[in-house]
Amino acid sequence: MTLDKLIIEFDKGLRTLLAPAQSARPLPGRDLNEPELAAADKKHAAGLMRVNHVGEVCAQALYQGQALTARDPAARTALEEAAREETEHLAWCESRIHALGGRKSLLNPVWYVGSLALGMAAGALGDKWSLGFLAETERQVEAHLGGHLETLPEDDAKSRAVVEQMQADEARHAETAVTYGAQELPAPVKVAMKFASKVMTKTAYWV
Ligand SMILES: [Fe+2]
Ligand SMILES: [Fe+2]
């Protein structure tokens, strides 16, 4: 890895953690009215959107790890496209957290560094395992977002619109990884990933 590349990636990391994310696509549900939620519902929705924001911080780091290690140029281009959409997800989650009066996770730097290390470790195993890890992550996130749609306040149509669009995007990202040769991960690895994400989501709901 060249020093140039390392500096660019370091810069991306700082931007993920410190700068507001930008979105080319409009915010899903932007034309809907901000709902009048009971205080407890608002707090719950903000907690869920904080969890989703953490997920997107991790996605930034995972895709960054991929970009550092992917060998196939076509795969790299497709991954960069997916990574751009992850940045939009980051922006959308930020916007909902703000509107709901919540705050972002204080542990974002920890989530970021951990995910970057995981992404690079997966990358070191070669493209097919690295893509396999990505595909499984996207599938688990898609399922997790489905769970949020069941618990998000019914009246918070704005958050629901964001989560629904993210869910559709993550499903597509999983397909992209498969298209470029993702290897199906062994079942115990999938279980370990589910456990790790449970710890992360439970923590991020509060901190
Ligand atoms: Fe995402
Ligand atoms: Fe994704």
Side-chain angles (χ1 to χ4, degrees):
M1 197 190 310
T2 65
L3 185 62
D4 281 14
K5 219 169 142 192
L6 211 85
I7 291 171
I8 291 171
E9 299 305 326
F10 182 68
D11 176 64
K12 272 193 212 162
L14 284 183
R15 263 186 286 142
T16 299
L17 294 172
L18 302 174
Q22 305 293 328
S23 180
R25 282 182 294 174
L27 175 73
R30 70 193 183 289
D31 296 332
L32 301 169
N33 291 328
E34 193 60 48
E36 298 277 344
L37 297 174
D41 280 351
K42 208 169 171 180
K43 199 171 166 217
H44 178 54
L48 295 178
M49 293 316 284
R50 174 163 57 244
V51 169
N52 292 333
H53 183 266
V54 165
E56 297 302 332
V57 166
C58 293
Q60 295 294 310
L62 274 187
Y63 275 98
Q64 212 186 332
Q66 298 279 337
L68 287 168
T69 53
R71 292 159 189 90
D72 173 12
R76 188 188 289 247
T77 307
L79 291 171
E80 281 168 359
E81 179 60 32
R84 251 193 302 283
E85 293 188 350
E86 302 299 2
T87 312
E88 299 188 319
H89 296 173
L90 197 66
W92 300 345
C93 289
E94 266 180 36
S95 140
R96 286 313 299 152
I97 290 173
H98 190 70
L100 292 161
R103 56 155 179 76
K104 295 190 268 184
S105 172
L106 300 172
L107 297 175
N108 275 341
V110 178
W111 308 127
Y112 188 87
V113 171
S115 302
L116 184 61
L118 264 180
M120 289 178 74
L125 298 175
D127 281 3
K128 67 179 186 168
W129 290 111
S130 169
L131 287 166
F133 181 66
L134 201 63
E136 180 58 22
T137 305
E138 294 284 9
R139 283 190 208 112
Q140 290 192 12
V141 174
E142 185 199 349
H144 156 88
L145 292 172
H148 275 198
L149 286 172
E150 281 167 27
T151 167
L152 265 173
E154 205 57 56
D155 291 341
D156 190 357
K158 286 182 89 77
S159 295
R160 303 183 73 85
V162 164
V163 171
E164 275 165 14
Q165 185 58 56
M166 280 169 35
Q167 195 186 26
D169 291 347
E170 314 306 10
R172 199 158 24 77
H173 296 163
E175 279 166 29
T176 302
V178 170
T179 305
Y180 286 97
Q183 180 85 30
E184 192 72 21
L185 300 184
V189 176
K190 292 186 189 177
V191 172
M193 287 168 68
K194 277 191 188 135
F195 176 75
S197 76
K198 203 164 240 157
V199 171
M200 185 268 267
T201 53
K202 292 262 184 276
T203 312
Y205 183 79
W206 300 106
V207 190

